[in-house]
Amino acid sequence: MKKTLYLAAFAALALTACSSTEDEIFDQSAAERLEQYKKDYAEALTADGGLWAMEYFSNPEEPGYVFVMKFEKSGAVTISGNHKWIGGTFKQETSLWKMIADNGPVLSFNSFNSVFHIFSDPANITGPDAPVGDDGQTDVNETGFGHEGDYEFQVMDLSEDGSTLRMLGKKRMYDIYMHRLDANTDVEDYLAKVKDVASKFSRKFSDMVLTDADGQKYRLYNLYTCIPSVYPLDGDAVMQTVSGNGILTLDGFRFMEPLEVKRADDSTFEITKLYFTEEGAMSGENVTDLRSISALENVVRQDLAWVIDKESLTGKAKTLYDAANQQITSELSAKDVLGDIEFTYASVAGQIIPQIVTRLGSRVCRDYIEYDAPKDEAGNVIASDQFHITITGGNNTAIRYDEQIPAYKALKDYLCNIFVMTVNNPLLPDVITLTDKNDSSSSFKLKVK
């Protein structure tokens, strides 16, 4: 509705040029005012070096893309990008731009630019990421619309400080923002940094917990795709999941359109933008916190394996590890050392159960464990910062060396202590520090394998 009203206002502005009472109300005619708007916006685009970052959306099924544009008074514009549709590498090309009139001032990129116009070209989408049918092979994009993006934009407003320009795609009506950059910005480096923001997220750690302003919690997942989905943890994941596309920028994530999130009671609130916090998590209007699910929930996942970083061992943990390693080489041979200690899963008697895998030279020892973790009514592990296991048995190799090498067994017994877990990164917890609850000088790190 708001976008419709804006366009109606511009249409009314143009129509007032025919009004006989116009001079009583305005000092200039509508046509003169429109020309002034065009001039002012054109001057704003080329001022202070004319360098801008554009946050661009072509359709609701794709993430947004960041371009850097340098506008010249001559009518030339150099557009830079590094998106996947040009091979994911930096490319820039110079073409033409113009501020035209069409029910208001319109920024038109009026000559073809291969970096930018690929999204408004109606040609069939090609390449490894082109849409396909349910069979994963059939080309389904023979509709003649391509990405369906815009190349002309209705200018809506310029911020008071002249640093942000808001526009609407002329055909698709999507909000398109441009932010002024310092004229000395290294364009390739800037785009590389924007692209690197995606490294803050991972397919392996797609599940996140969002907390709203009222303290209610939601599961948000697939943010790494820039098309995340959200549902209330106390609600119905099937009926109350909502999704929306957005764009990653240097300061966070912006949805193309405000995402209307459902609470468990079906009331709603909107999320427009999420910002990175100093801690490394995210927050925003109506959102107090967004981070990965708890460290414990990630460690007990059957699809991940974790290994102890031997270089991170401190205090008693290091003392026990070194003693076990020394006794192994003494009892077995100088070539036999204690290798990686891995937390993973195995199939035993038709059941998938957790285990610790240790290697004494070429010998593989498996100790079967239970995670003593809090669970909900459905049996799912719930958030906790404590790590505690119980060894319930082992293969014959593990049992044999428990008896032969006491220091080796002592190390494994120590792993059954209670440890406090902290993550290295709230959004990408691929490294977790475990600290002895009763001895803070003793710790080690778990790294996802």
mmCIF file with all atom_site columns, all heavy atoms in Angstrom, residues 396-410:
data_model
loop_
_atom_site.group_PDB
_atom_site.id
_atom_site.type_symbol
_atom_site.label_atom_id
_atom_site.label_alt_id
_atom_site.label_comp_id
_atom_site.label_asym_id
_atom_site.label_entity_id
_atom_site.label_seq_id
_atom_site.pdbx_PDB_ins_code
_atom_site.Cartn_x
_atom_site.Cartn_y
_atom_site.Cartn_z
_atom_site.occupancy
_atom_site.B_iso_or_equiv
_atom_site.pdbx_formal_charge
_atom_site.auth_seq_id
_atom_site.auth_comp_id
_atom_site.auth_asym_id
_atom_site.auth_atom_id
_atom_site.pdbx_PDB_model_num
ATOM 1   N N   . ASN A 1 396 ? 36.690 -54.634 21.741 1.00 0.00 ? 396 ASN A N   1
ATOM 2   C CA  . ASN A 1 396 ? 37.717 -55.436 22.420 1.00 0.00 ? 396 ASN A CA  1
ATOM 3   C C   . ASN A 1 396 ? 39.066 -54.724 22.483 1.00 0.00 ? 396 ASN A C   1
ATOM 4   O O   . ASN A 1 396 ? 39.808 -54.861 23.466 1.00 0.00 ? 396 ASN A O   1
ATOM 5   C CB  . ASN A 1 396 ? 37.876 -56.787 21.705 1.00 0.00 ? 396 ASN A CB  1
ATOM 6   C CG  . ASN A 1 396 ? 36.655 -57.674 21.878 1.00 0.00 ? 396 ASN A CG  1
ATOM 7   O OD1 . ASN A 1 396 ? 35.922 -57.528 22.860 1.00 0.00 ? 396 ASN A OD1 1
ATOM 8   N ND2 . ASN A 1 396 ? 36.433 -58.576 20.937 1.00 0.00 ? 396 ASN A ND2 1
ATOM 9   N N   . THR A 1 397 ? 39.366 -53.956 21.460 1.00 0.00 ? 397 THR A N   1
ATOM 10  C CA  . THR A 1 397 ? 40.646 -53.243 21.442 1.00 0.00 ? 397 THR A CA  1
ATOM 11  C C   . THR A 1 397 ? 40.701 -52.210 22.558 1.00 0.00 ? 397 THR A C   1
ATOM 12  O O   . THR A 1 397 ? 41.704 -52.094 23.284 1.00 0.00 ? 397 THR A O   1
ATOM 13  C CB  . THR A 1 397 ? 40.847 -52.546 20.082 1.00 0.00 ? 397 THR A CB  1
ATOM 14  O OG1 . THR A 1 397 ? 40.666 -53.495 19.037 1.00 0.00 ? 397 THR A OG1 1
ATOM 15  C CG2 . THR A 1 397 ? 42.251 -51.955 19.978 1.00 0.00 ? 397 THR A CG2 1
ATOM 16  N N   . ALA A 1 398 ? 39.630 -51.456 22.732 1.00 0.00 ? 398 ALA A N   1
ATOM 17  C CA  . ALA A 1 398 ? 39.585 -50.446 23.794 1.00 0.00 ? 398 ALA A CA  1
ATOM 18  C C   . ALA A 1 398 ? 39.693 -51.098 25.165 1.00 0.00 ? 398 ALA A C   1
ATOM 19  O O   . ALA A 1 398 ? 40.427 -50.626 26.045 1.00 0.00 ? 398 ALA A O   1
ATOM 20  C CB  . ALA A 1 398 ? 38.302 -49.640 23.674 1.00 0.00 ? 398 ALA A CB  1
ATOM 21  N N   . ILE A 1 399 ? 38.967 -52.191 25.357 1.00 0.00 ? 399 ILE A N   1
ATOM 22  C CA  . ILE A 1 399 ? 38.986 -52.876 26.650 1.00 0.00 ? 399 ILE A CA  1
ATOM 23  C C   . ILE A 1 399 ? 40.388 -53.415 26.954 1.00 0.00 ? 399 ILE A C   1
ATOM 24  O O   . ILE A 1 399 ? 40.895 -53.319 28.076 1.00 0.00 ? 399 ILE A O   1
ATOM 25  C CB  . ILE A 1 399 ? 37.949 -54.014 26.667 1.00 0.00 ? 399 ILE A CB  1
ATOM 26  C CG1 . ILE A 1 399 ? 36.531 -53.426 26.575 1.00 0.00 ? 399 ILE A CG1 1
ATOM 27  C CG2 . ILE A 1 399 ? 38.101 -54.871 27.919 1.00 0.00 ? 399 ILE A CG2 1
ATOM 28  C CD1 . ILE A 1 399 ? 35.447 -54.474 26.364 1.00 0.00 ? 399 ILE A CD1 1
ATOM 29  N N   . ARG A 1 400 ? 41.043 -53.988 25.935 1.00 0.00 ? 400 ARG A N   1
ATOM 30  C CA  . ARG A 1 400 ? 42.368 -54.560 26.142 1.00 0.00 ? 400 ARG A CA  1
ATOM 31  C C   . ARG A 1 400 ? 43.367 -53.498 26.569 1.00 0.00 ? 400 ARG A C   1
ATOM 32  O O   . ARG A 1 400 ? 44.140 -53.686 27.522 1.00 0.00 ? 400 ARG A O   1
ATOM 33  C CB  . ARG A 1 400 ? 42.858 -55.255 24.859 1.00 0.00 ? 400 ARG A CB  1
ATOM 34  C CG  . ARG A 1 400 ? 44.250 -55.888 25.031 1.00 0.00 ? 400 ARG A CG  1
ATOM 35  C CD  . ARG A 1 400 ? 44.596 -56.820 23.885 1.00 0.00 ? 400 ARG A CD  1
ATOM 36  N NE  . ARG A 1 400 ? 44.840 -56.127 22.638 1.00 0.00 ? 400 ARG A NE  1
ATOM 37  C CZ  . ARG A 1 400 ? 44.000 -56.135 21.592 1.00 0.00 ? 400 ARG A CZ  1
ATOM 38  N NH1 . ARG A 1 400 ? 42.851 -56.801 21.655 1.00 0.00 ? 400 ARG A NH1 1
ATOM 39  N NH2 . ARG A 1 400 ? 44.301 -55.496 20.472 1.00 0.00 ? 400 ARG A NH2 1
ATOM 40  N N   . TYR A 1 401 ? 43.354 -52.342 25.908 1.00 0.00 ? 401 TYR A N   1
ATOM 41  C CA  . TYR A 1 401 ? 44.351 -51.318 26.231 1.00 0.00 ? 401 TYR A CA  1
ATOM 42  C C   . TYR A 1 401 ? 43.997 -50.510 27.478 1.00 0.00 ? 401 TYR A C   1
ATOM 43  O O   . TYR A 1 401 ? 44.880 -49.897 28.079 1.00 0.00 ? 401 TYR A O   1
ATOM 44  C CB  . TYR A 1 401 ? 44.591 -50.418 25.023 1.00 0.00 ? 401 TYR A CB  1
ATOM 45  C CG  . TYR A 1 401 ? 45.329 -51.173 23.947 1.00 0.00 ? 401 TYR A CG  1
ATOM 46  C CD1 . TYR A 1 401 ? 44.717 -51.509 22.748 1.00 0.00 ? 401 TYR A CD1 1
ATOM 47  C CD2 . TYR A 1 401 ? 46.644 -51.604 24.157 1.00 0.00 ? 401 TYR A CD2 1
ATOM 48  C CE1 . TYR A 1 401 ? 45.389 -52.232 21.779 1.00 0.00 ? 401 TYR A CE1 1
ATOM 49  C CE2 . TYR A 1 401 ? 47.323 -52.338 23.194 1.00 0.00 ? 401 TYR A CE2 1
ATOM 50  C CZ  . TYR A 1 401 ? 46.687 -52.651 22.004 1.00 0.00 ? 401 TYR A CZ  1
ATOM 51  O OH  . TYR A 1 401 ? 47.359 -53.385 21.039 1.00 0.00 ? 401 TYR A OH  1
ATOM 52  N N   . ASP A 1 402 ? 42.719 -50.546 27.885 1.00 0.00 ? 402 ASP A N   1
ATOM 53  C CA  . ASP A 1 402 ? 42.373 -49.974 29.191 1.00 0.00 ? 402 ASP A CA  1
ATOM 54  C C   . ASP A 1 402 ? 43.129 -50.721 30.296 1.00 0.00 ? 402 ASP A C   1
ATOM 55  O O   . ASP A 1 402 ? 43.603 -50.128 31.264 1.00 0.00 ? 402 ASP A O   1
ATOM 56  C CB  . ASP A 1 402 ? 40.866 -50.103 29.449 1.00 0.00 ? 402 ASP A CB  1
ATOM 57  C CG  . ASP A 1 402 ? 40.058 -49.010 28.758 1.00 0.00 ? 402 ASP A CG  1
ATOM 58  O OD1 . ASP A 1 402 ? 40.678 -48.079 28.216 1.00 0.00 ? 402 ASP A OD1 1
ATOM 59  O OD2 . ASP A 1 402 ? 38.812 -49.082 28.772 1.00 0.00 ? 402 ASP A OD2 1
ATOM 60  N N   . GLU A 1 403 ? 43.232 -52.052 30.128 1.00 0.00 ? 403 GLU A N   1
ATOM 61  C CA  . GLU A 1 403 ? 43.919 -52.873 31.136 1.00 0.00 ? 403 GLU A CA  1
ATOM 62  C C   . GLU A 1 403 ? 45.436 -52.754 31.013 1.00 0.00 ? 403 GLU A C   1
ATOM 63  O O   . GLU A 1 403 ? 46.146 -52.707 32.017 1.00 0.00 ? 403 GLU A O   1
ATOM 64  C CB  . GLU A 1 403 ? 43.484 -54.332 30.978 1.00 0.00 ? 403 GLU A CB  1
ATOM 65  C CG  . GLU A 1 403 ? 41.986 -54.551 31.232 1.00 0.00 ? 403 GLU A CG  1
ATOM 66  C CD  . GLU A 1 403 ? 41.556 -55.974 30.926 1.00 0.00 ? 403 GLU A CD  1
ATOM 67  O OE1 . GLU A 1 403 ? 42.404 -56.750 30.403 1.00 0.00 ? 403 GLU A OE1 1
ATOM 68  O OE2 . GLU A 1 403 ? 40.378 -56.324 31.181 1.00 0.00 ? 403 GLU A OE2 1
ATOM 69  N N   . GLN A 1 404 ? 45.921 -52.695 29.791 1.00 0.00 ? 404 GLN A N   1
ATOM 70  C CA  . GLN A 1 404 ? 47.369 -52.705 29.571 1.00 0.00 ? 404 GLN A CA  1
ATOM 71  C C   . GLN A 1 404 ? 48.010 -51.343 29.829 1.00 0.00 ? 404 GLN A C   1
ATOM 72  O O   . GLN A 1 404 ? 49.165 -51.264 30.281 1.00 0.00 ? 404 GLN A O   1
ATOM 73  C CB  . GLN A 1 404 ? 47.679 -53.154 28.135 1.00 0.00 ? 404 GLN A CB  1
ATOM 74  C CG  . GLN A 1 404 ? 49.177 -53.298 27.848 1.00 0.00 ? 404 GLN A CG  1
ATOM 75  C CD  . GLN A 1 404 ? 49.428 -53.831 26.435 1.00 0.00 ? 404 GLN A CD  1
ATOM 76  O OE1 . GLN A 1 404 ? 48.517 -54.346 25.790 1.00 0.00 ? 404 GLN A OE1 1
ATOM 77  N NE2 . GLN A 1 404 ? 50.662 -53.717 25.982 1.00 0.00 ? 404 GLN A NE2 1
ATOM 78  N N   . ILE A 1 405 ? 47.248 -50.254 29.560 1.00 0.00 ? 405 ILE A N   1
ATOM 79  C CA  . ILE A 1 405 ? 47.820 -48.901 29.654 1.00 0.00 ? 405 ILE A CA  1
ATOM 80  C C   . ILE A 1 405 ? 46.943 -48.045 30.571 1.00 0.00 ? 405 ILE A C   1
ATOM 81  O O   . ILE A 1 405 ? 46.037 -47.349 30.112 1.00 0.00 ? 405 ILE A O   1
ATOM 82  C CB  . ILE A 1 405 ? 47.945 -48.263 28.255 1.00 0.00 ? 405 ILE A CB  1
ATOM 83  C CG1 . ILE A 1 405 ? 48.695 -49.214 27.309 1.00 0.00 ? 405 ILE A CG1 1
ATOM 84  C CG2 . ILE A 1 405 ? 48.658 -46.912 28.324 1.00 0.00 ? 405 ILE A CG2 1
ATOM 85  C CD1 . ILE A 1 405 ? 48.720 -48.774 25.881 1.00 0.00 ? 405 ILE A CD1 1
ATOM 86  N N   . PRO A 1 406 ? 47.157 -48.109 31.871 1.00 0.00 ? 406 PRO A N   1
ATOM 87  C CA  . PRO A 1 406 ? 46.319 -47.385 32.837 1.00 0.00 ? 406 PRO A CA  1
ATOM 88  C C   . PRO A 1 406 ? 46.230 -45.874 32.575 1.00 0.00 ? 406 PRO A C   1
ATOM 89  O O   . PRO A 1 406 ? 45.180 -45.264 32.808 1.00 0.00 ? 406 PRO A O   1
ATOM 90  C CB  . PRO A 1 406 ? 47.009 -47.672 34.172 1.00 0.00 ? 406 PRO A CB  1
ATOM 91  C CG  . PRO A 1 406 ? 47.738 -48.958 33.959 1.00 0.00 ? 406 PRO A CG  1
ATOM 92  C CD  . PRO A 1 406 ? 48.195 -48.922 32.546 1.00 0.00 ? 406 PRO A CD  1
ATOM 93  N N   . ALA A 1 407 ? 47.313 -45.271 32.099 1.00 0.00 ? 407 ALA A N   1
ATOM 94  C CA  . ALA A 1 407 ? 47.289 -43.829 31.848 1.00 0.00 ? 407 ALA A CA  1
ATOM 95  C C   . ALA A 1 407 ? 46.332 -43.478 30.718 1.00 0.00 ? 407 ALA A C   1
ATOM 96  O O   . ALA A 1 407 ? 45.719 -42.397 30.713 1.00 0.00 ? 407 ALA A O   1
ATOM 97  C CB  . ALA A 1 407 ? 48.691 -43.331 31.510 1.00 0.00 ? 407 ALA A CB  1
ATOM 98  N N   . TYR A 1 408 ? 46.180 -44.385 29.785 1.00 0.00 ? 408 TYR A N   1
ATOM 99  C CA  . TYR A 1 408 ? 45.232 -44.211 28.681 1.00 0.00 ? 408 TYR A CA  1
ATOM 100 C C   . TYR A 1 408 ? 43.806 -44.237 29.208 1.00 0.00 ? 408 TYR A C   1
ATOM 101 O O   . TYR A 1 408 ? 42.980 -43.382 28.866 1.00 0.00 ? 408 TYR A O   1
ATOM 102 C CB  . TYR A 1 408 ? 45.472 -45.299 27.640 1.00 0.00 ? 408 TYR A CB  1
ATOM 103 C CG  . TYR A 1 408 ? 44.387 -45.491 26.612 1.00 0.00 ? 408 TYR A CG  1
ATOM 104 C CD1 . TYR A 1 408 ? 44.100 -44.505 25.676 1.00 0.00 ? 408 TYR A CD1 1
ATOM 105 C CD2 . TYR A 1 408 ? 43.665 -46.692 26.577 1.00 0.00 ? 408 TYR A CD2 1
ATOM 106 C CE1 . TYR A 1 408 ? 43.110 -44.712 24.727 1.00 0.00 ? 408 TYR A CE1 1
ATOM 107 C CE2 . TYR A 1 408 ? 42.681 -46.892 25.632 1.00 0.00 ? 408 TYR A CE2 1
ATOM 108 C CZ  . TYR A 1 408 ? 42.390 -45.897 24.705 1.00 0.00 ? 408 TYR A CZ  1
ATOM 109 O OH  . TYR A 1 408 ? 41.414 -46.097 23.773 1.00 0.00 ? 408 TYR A OH  1
ATOM 110 N N   . LYS A 1 409 ? 43.511 -45.188 30.103 1.00 0.00 ? 409 LYS A N   1
ATOM 111 C CA  . LYS A 1 409 ? 42.180 -45.264 30.698 1.00 0.00 ? 409 LYS A CA  1
ATOM 112 C C   . LYS A 1 409 ? 41.910 -44.044 31.585 1.00 0.00 ? 409 LYS A C   1
ATOM 113 O O   . LYS A 1 409 ? 40.792 -43.515 31.616 1.00 0.00 ? 409 LYS A O   1
ATOM 114 C CB  . LYS A 1 409 ? 42.020 -46.543 31.525 1.00 0.00 ? 409 LYS A CB  1
ATOM 115 C CG  . LYS A 1 409 ? 40.615 -46.728 32.096 1.00 0.00 ? 409 LYS A CG  1
ATOM 116 C CD  . LYS A 1 409 ? 40.481 -48.043 32.827 1.00 0.00 ? 409 LYS A CD  1
ATOM 117 C CE  . LYS A 1 409 ? 39.035 -48.300 33.250 1.00 0.00 ? 409 LYS A CE  1
ATOM 118 N NZ  . LYS A 1 409 ? 38.470 -47.201 34.058 1.00 0.00 ? 409 LYS A NZ  1
ATOM 119 N N   . ALA A 1 410 ? 42.943 -43.586 32.288 1.00 0.00 ? 410 ALA A N   1
ATOM 120 C CA  . ALA A 1 410 ? 42.771 -42.417 33.151 1.00 0.00 ? 410 ALA A CA  1
ATOM 121 C C   . ALA A 1 410 ? 42.376 -41.181 32.345 1.00 0.00 ? 410 ALA A C   1
ATOM 122 O O   . ALA A 1 410 ? 41.552 -40.360 32.789 1.00 0.00 ? 410 ALA A O   1
ATOM 123 C CB  . ALA A 1 410 ? 44.052 -42.153 33.926 1.00 0.00 ? 410 ALA A CB  1
#
